[in-house]
Amino acid sequence: MKAVVDQDACISCGMCVSTCPEVFEFDDNEKAHAVVDPVPGELEDSAQEAAEGCPTDAIHTE
Ligand code: SF4
């Protein structure tokens, strides 16, 4: 699985970073991005949970 953050849509709420810190981190401009590509199998469920919980639907998985 691949997780991509649309940084134009990210409002820096921190939800994904707290839900799945193994995959999502803030970068220098306070926008979230995925730090692993692809997302390891054992992290797919929490990454998907983060994507579904993002208030602006900024996280896309494929
Ligand atoms: Fe940005 Fe969405 Fe993550 Fe919040 S949950 S920090 S809006 S990508």
Side-chain angles (χ1 to χ4, degrees):
M1 182 177 115
K2 183 178 177 71
V4 178
V5 177
D6 176 355
Q7 296 206 325
D8 290 335
C10 175
I11 58 170
S12 308
C13 74
M15 195 286 298
C16 61
V17 177
S18 59
T19 300
C20 190
E22 300 90 347
V23 174
F24 300 102
E25 291 182 4
F26 283 125
D27 60 19
D28 290 343
N29 61 3
E30 300 293 315
K31 302 286 186 175
H33 70 288
V35 293
V36 288
D37 181 17
V39 176
E42 67 271 22
L43 296 176
E44 286 188 358
D45 285 350
S46 63
Q48 190 65 43
E49 183 184 343
E52 290 170 4
C54 174
T56 61
D57 289 330
I59 303 172
H60 304 284
T61 58
E62 54 194 56

